[in-house]
Amino acid sequence: MLRHGIPPARFFSQVSNDIIRHPRLSSDAVRLLTWQLSLPLDAEESLSRSATRAGIKKGAFLRAKGQLKAEGYVHEWREQGVRGLWSTVQLVSSVPLSAPEAAALKDGRAPVAAPTVPCPAAGRPTGRAAGRHPENTPKGNTSNHPRRAAELTPPEPQSQPHPPQAREAVADLHLLDPRLRVPRGMLPQLAALAAQWLACGHTAEGVREEIHRDPPAAPQHIHSPGGLVRYILRDPRAVPVPTPAPEPRVARMRECEGERHIQPLLFRPLAEETSCPACRQERAESAEQVPRPRDGVTAGLHASYASPRSAKSALSQ
């Protein structure tokens, strides 16, 4: 790969390589950000106007704006003026800013570092070393600084697989809401967050209900579905674990098989009884009231099965 680059002498903008090589910014997002950074500091051009001038369509512009807001390069606020008119204030920065830092910069509370005058180096000036071959050929990959390359490389997914319930909780979220089309690259991260919900006692269906309940109303567009789902699943302890409904008392009851009841009767068995206590009590009392034959007659009856003559003689006695 051969490259030939000539630094411009005028009409140029300094853009960090972190923006050009950002792994989570699309080409439209990078073009929109660099276009805004190339404008003068006092320019009043909005992001939508820059997208129109750069040839970015409406759908691509909304996705690019959502990516820039998610990464901290763009912040915006809705403010109401003196006459009650609402306006949108947008802030574009060349480095990612958190929400408090952006608010402090908007209100003029952010400290501004004074320019420092570098001390001249000791010795006589020498010529530039650019264009010469290195004395020693470096070994290995030297395309990027090791620390900078590690920062720009997206984090690899965890080696431990997530439970199937966690992946099921964040899969096919567009079926719940067509606006929740999460990029496939964010599914491992969302599955890890869903696993924390499952560890706290929530179910996969409960996690999906929580995601379906929190998005804004249907007409409003969701610029970053993955960022919204990640924000919803950030803290599972903020949502109480639903307690299971108590088991109904009828579930452990059984219908009595006795014949004394006109209508079906339910009772709670202690073991494997098939009749209610009243039927069992009635059966026991009827068994006690049956008259028992005398021993001699009983012996004669048993003997009759063995010998008819001996049974006849036993009865005569």
Side-chain angles (χ1 to χ4, degrees):
M1 175 61 70
L2 303 177
R3 296 181 179 87
H4 175 66
I6 300 177
R10 61 183 182 86
F11 200 67
F12 66 92
S13 301
Q14 293 183 353
V15 180
S16 172
N17 290 337
D18 296 343
I19 297 177
I20 301 176
R21 305 173 185 175
H22 203 288
R24 291 180 297 276
L25 293 180
S26 62
S27 58
D28 293 331
V30 174
R31 179 170 174 79
L32 182 60
L33 180 58
T34 53
W35 190 291
Q36 277 284 328
L37 294 178
S38 65
L39 299 175
L41 295 179
D42 56 349
E44 296 292 338
E45 183 174 317
S46 61
L47 290 173
S48 58
R49 175 59 181 166
S50 298
T52 303
R53 295 178 58 190
I56 302 176
K57 302 299 181 181
K58 182 177 180 181
F61 163 67
L62 294 178
R63 289 190 296 268
K65 181 181 176 182
Q67 294 174 2
L68 294 176
K69 292 176 64 176
E71 298 299 330
Y73 289 99
V74 172
H75 297 267
E76 62 180 4
W77 302 267
R78 290 282 294 171
E79 296 181 351
Q80 189 173 15
V82 180
R83 298 183 179 180
L85 300 178
W86 287 89
S87 61
T88 301
V89 179
Q90 296 177 336
L91 172 65
V92 179
S93 62
S94 59
V95 294
L97 298 177
S98 61
E101 294 174 348
L105 187 62
K106 178 179 72 73
D107 298 337
R109 295 181 284 107
V112 180
T116 57
V117 179
C119 298
R124 300 180 60 184
T126 57
R128 297 180 58 184
R132 297 183 305 173
H133 292 282
E135 297 179 0
N136 297 325
T137 304
K139 298 180 180 180
N141 185 11
T142 59
S143 58
N144 292 323
H145 191 274
R147 183 176 64 85
R148 181 62 62 184
E151 294 177 356
L152 296 178
T153 304
E156 298 181 357
Q158 297 180 359
S159 58
Q160 298 181 356
H162 303 296
Q165 296 83 358
R167 296 192 297 269
E168 179 184 355
V170 297
D172 299 332
L173 294 178
H174 64 277
L175 299 179
L176 300 177
D177 193 329
R179 300 171 298 170
L180 296 178
R181 292 189 175 272
V182 180
R184 290 183 175 271
M186 293 190 65
L187 291 180
Q189 181 182 6
L190 299 180
L193 296 176
Q196 298 179 5
W197 282 66
L198 298 179
C200 293
H202 296 271
T203 61
E205 189 64 26
V207 175
R208 293 178 68 87
E209 292 179 0
E210 186 69 20
I211 296 174
H212 182 56
R213 182 171 57 249
D214 284 358
Q220 187 173 356
H221 180 73
I222 298 178
H223 301 287
S224 179
L228 177 60
V229 176
R230 180 175 56 191
Y231 177 79
I232 295 173
L233 301 179
R234 180 172 299 177
D235 190 3
R237 295 170 297 179
V239 180
V241 180
T243 56
E247 183 182 5
R249 299 179 59 185
V250 185
R252 292 182 294 176
M253 301 185 72
R254 180 181 299 176
E255 183 179 353
C256 178
E257 298 181 359
E259 299 179 356
R260 63 187 302 269
H261 306 291
I262 302 177
Q263 297 180 354
L265 176 67
L266 299 179
F267 72 99
R268 188 186 301 274
L270 299 178
E272 298 295 333
E273 298 88 353
T274 59
S275 302
C276 65
C279 291
R280 295 198 303 271
Q281 182 67 22
E282 181 180 359
R283 190 182 303 113
E285 293 177 355
S286 61
E288 293 179 358
Q289 294 177 1
V290 174
R292 296 183 179 180
R294 291 176 296 178
D295 296 341
V297 177
T298 305
L301 292 176
H302 285 288
S304 63
Y305 292 97
S307 175
R309 296 180 180 179
S310 61
K312 184 177 180 181
S313 60
L315 291 175
S316 61
Q317 295 176 1

